[in-house]
Short mmCIF file of all heavy atoms in Angstrom, two decimals:
data_model
loop_
_atom_site.label_atom_id
_atom_site.label_comp_id
_atom_site.label_asym_id
_atom_site.label_seq_id
_atom_site.Cartn_x
_atom_site.Cartn_y
_atom_site.Cartn_z
N ILE G 266 118.46 122.68 94.46
CA ILE G 266 117.26 122.07 94.98
C ILE G 266 117.00 120.72 94.28
O ILE G 266 116.56 119.74 94.92
CB ILE G 266 116.04 123.02 94.89
CG1 ILE G 266 116.20 124.15 95.89
CG2 ILE G 266 114.62 122.31 95.09
CD1 ILE G 266 115.93 123.77 97.31
N LEU G 267 117.09 120.84 92.98
CA LEU G 267 116.79 119.57 92.25
C LEU G 267 117.69 118.49 92.33
O LEU G 267 117.30 117.30 92.49
CB LEU G 267 116.84 120.03 90.62
CG LEU G 267 115.69 120.95 90.17
CD1 LEU G 267 115.93 121.38 88.67
CD2 LEU G 267 114.35 120.27 90.30
N ARG G 268 118.97 118.79 92.64
CA ARG G 268 119.98 117.73 93.02
C ARG G 268 119.61 117.14 94.39
O ARG G 268 119.78 115.83 94.35
CB ARG G 268 121.32 118.28 93.00
CG ARG G 268 122.02 118.62 91.69
CD ARG G 268 123.53 118.87 91.77
NE ARG G 268 123.74 120.10 92.59
CZ ARG G 268 123.79 121.29 91.93
NH1 ARG G 268 123.62 121.44 90.60
NH2 ARG G 268 124.11 122.37 92.72
N LEU G 269 119.19 117.91 95.27
CA LEU G 269 118.87 117.42 96.57
C LEU G 269 117.58 116.49 96.51
O LEU G 269 117.47 115.54 97.14
CB LEU G 269 118.62 118.56 97.58
CG LEU G 269 119.82 119.36 98.04
CD1 LEU G 269 119.39 120.42 98.90
CD2 LEU G 269 120.83 118.42 98.69
N LEU G 270 116.62 116.88 95.61
CA LEU G 270 115.47 116.11 95.47
C LEU G 270 115.65 114.80 94.81
O LEU G 270 114.76 113.99 94.86
CB LEU G 270 114.19 117.00 94.81
CG LEU G 270 113.92 118.17 95.63
CD1 LEU G 270 112.82 118.89 94.84
CD2 LEU G 270 113.28 117.76 96.99
N ARG G 271 116.86 114.63 94.11
CA ARG G 271 117.14 113.44 93.41
C ARG G 271 117.97 112.49 94.30
O ARG G 271 118.44 111.40 93.90
CB ARG G 271 117.88 113.72 92.01
CG ARG G 271 116.91 114.29 91.07
CD ARG G 271 117.52 114.22 89.70
NE ARG G 271 118.82 115.05 89.57
CZ ARG G 271 118.74 116.32 89.11
NH1 ARG G 271 117.46 116.83 88.59
NH2 ARG G 271 119.73 117.08 89.06
N ASN G 272 118.35 113.07 95.43
CA ASN G 272 119.26 112.35 96.43
C ASN G 272 118.36 111.53 97.29
O ASN G 272 117.75 112.02 98.39
CB ASN G 272 120.03 113.36 97.24
CG ASN G 272 121.00 112.82 98.21
OD1 ASN G 272 120.94 111.60 98.62
ND2 ASN G 272 122.14 113.50 98.58
N LYS G 273 118.27 110.18 96.99
CA LYS G 273 117.38 109.38 97.75
C LYS G 273 117.55 109.22 99.18
O LYS G 273 116.67 109.39 99.99
CB LYS G 273 117.29 107.96 97.02
CG LYS G 273 116.24 107.06 97.77
CD LYS G 273 116.34 105.54 97.01
CE LYS G 273 115.42 104.70 97.86
NZ LYS G 273 115.46 103.32 97.26
N PRO G 274 118.85 109.06 99.79
CA PRO G 274 119.12 109.04 101.14
C PRO G 274 118.55 110.30 101.81
O PRO G 274 118.09 110.30 102.93
CB PRO G 274 120.60 108.81 101.27
CG PRO G 274 120.93 108.19 99.99
CD PRO G 274 120.12 108.77 98.95
N PHE G 275 118.80 111.47 101.16
CA PHE G 275 118.37 112.71 101.82
C PHE G 275 116.89 112.92 101.84
O PHE G 275 116.30 113.48 102.80
CB PHE G 275 118.98 113.88 100.96
CG PHE G 275 118.67 115.23 101.56
CD1 PHE G 275 119.21 115.60 102.86
CD2 PHE G 275 117.92 116.16 101.04
CE1 PHE G 275 118.73 116.81 103.40
CE2 PHE G 275 117.64 117.34 101.47
CZ PHE G 275 118.01 117.62 102.77
N ILE G 276 116.16 112.35 100.81
CA ILE G 276 114.65 112.33 100.76
C ILE G 276 114.11 111.56 101.99
O ILE G 276 113.22 111.90 102.63
CB ILE G 276 114.19 111.90 99.51
CG1 ILE G 276 114.49 112.78 98.25
CG2 ILE G 276 112.74 111.65 99.48
CD1 ILE G 276 113.89 114.19 98.56
N LEU G 277 114.78 110.35 102.29
CA LEU G 277 114.41 109.57 103.44
C LEU G 277 114.65 110.36 104.61
O LEU G 277 113.76 110.17 105.65
CB LEU G 277 115.17 108.24 103.35
CG LEU G 277 114.79 107.19 102.26
CD1 LEU G 277 115.64 106.05 102.32
CD2 LEU G 277 113.31 106.70 102.60
N LEU G 278 115.75 111.09 104.78
CA LEU G 278 115.99 111.77 106.02
C LEU G 278 115.05 112.93 106.11
O LEU G 278 114.72 113.27 107.35
CB LEU G 278 117.47 112.49 105.78
CG LEU G 278 117.80 113.25 107.13
CD1 LEU G 278 117.85 112.51 108.35
CD2 LEU G 278 119.25 113.92 106.85
N ILE G 279 114.70 113.57 105.05
CA ILE G 279 113.61 114.60 105.07
C ILE G 279 112.35 114.15 105.72
O ILE G 279 111.81 114.79 106.64
CB ILE G 279 113.27 115.25 103.73
CG1 ILE G 279 114.42 116.13 103.15
CG2 ILE G 279 112.03 116.05 103.71
CD1 ILE G 279 114.21 116.58 101.82
N ILE G 280 111.91 112.93 105.25
CA ILE G 280 110.70 112.37 105.76
C ILE G 280 110.80 112.01 107.28
O ILE G 280 110.02 112.31 108.23
CB ILE G 280 110.27 111.08 104.97
CG1 ILE G 280 109.86 111.57 103.67
CG2 ILE G 280 109.06 110.51 105.68
CD1 ILE G 280 109.79 110.33 102.71
N THR G 281 111.92 111.26 107.59
CA THR G 281 112.18 110.89 109.05
C THR G 281 112.28 111.95 109.98
O THR G 281 111.83 112.05 111.13
CB THR G 281 113.32 109.86 109.10
OG1 THR G 281 114.43 110.39 108.67
CG2 THR G 281 112.96 108.57 108.31
N TYR G 282 113.20 112.96 109.60
CA TYR G 282 113.30 114.21 110.34
C TYR G 282 111.92 114.94 110.65
O TYR G 282 111.73 115.33 111.74
CB TYR G 282 114.36 115.10 109.61
CG TYR G 282 114.65 116.39 110.53
CD1 TYR G 282 115.72 116.32 111.47
CD2 TYR G 282 113.91 117.54 110.29
CE1 TYR G 282 115.92 117.52 112.10
CE2 TYR G 282 114.23 118.72 111.09
CZ TYR G 282 115.39 118.74 111.94
OH TYR G 282 115.62 119.76 112.72
N GLY G 283 111.16 115.05 109.62
CA GLY G 283 109.83 115.75 109.79
C GLY G 283 108.94 115.00 110.72
O GLY G 283 108.23 115.62 111.50
N LEU G 284 109.00 113.58 110.72
CA LEU G 284 108.09 112.78 111.59
C LEU G 284 108.56 113.02 113.04
O LEU G 284 107.74 113.32 113.94
CB LEU G 284 108.29 111.32 111.26
CG LEU G 284 107.59 110.85 109.86
CD1 LEU G 284 107.90 109.37 109.69
CD2 LEU G 284 106.11 111.07 110.01
N ASN G 285 109.92 113.07 113.27
CA ASN G 285 110.40 113.28 114.68
C ASN G 285 110.15 114.58 115.30
O ASN G 285 109.53 114.74 116.27
CB ASN G 285 111.80 112.84 114.73
CG ASN G 285 112.31 112.63 116.24
OD1 ASN G 285 112.33 113.70 116.99
ND2 ASN G 285 112.80 111.53 116.57
N VAL G 286 110.62 115.60 114.41
CA VAL G 286 110.45 116.97 114.97
C VAL G 286 108.96 117.36 114.95
O VAL G 286 108.54 118.22 115.89
CB VAL G 286 111.27 117.94 114.19
CG1 VAL G 286 111.29 119.34 114.67
CG2 VAL G 286 112.90 117.43 114.23
N GLY G 287 108.17 116.94 114.05
CA GLY G 287 106.68 117.31 113.92
C GLY G 287 106.06 116.79 115.20
O GLY G 287 105.18 117.32 115.74
N CYS G 288 106.48 115.52 115.77
CA CYS G 288 105.92 115.06 116.95
C CYS G 288 106.22 115.93 118.07
O CYS G 288 105.40 116.19 118.99
CB CYS G 288 106.50 113.64 117.26
SG CYS G 288 105.65 112.26 116.12
#
Side-chain angles (χ1 to χ4, degrees):
I266 290 287
L267 290 175
R268 285 193 295 271
L269 291 178
L270 294 179
R271 289 193 294 264
N272 185 333
K273 183 180 177 181
F275 183 64
I276 292 299
L277 287 173
L278 179 63
I279 286 176
I280 296 171
T281 56
Y282 183 87
L284 290 172
N285 190 299
V286 181
C288 287

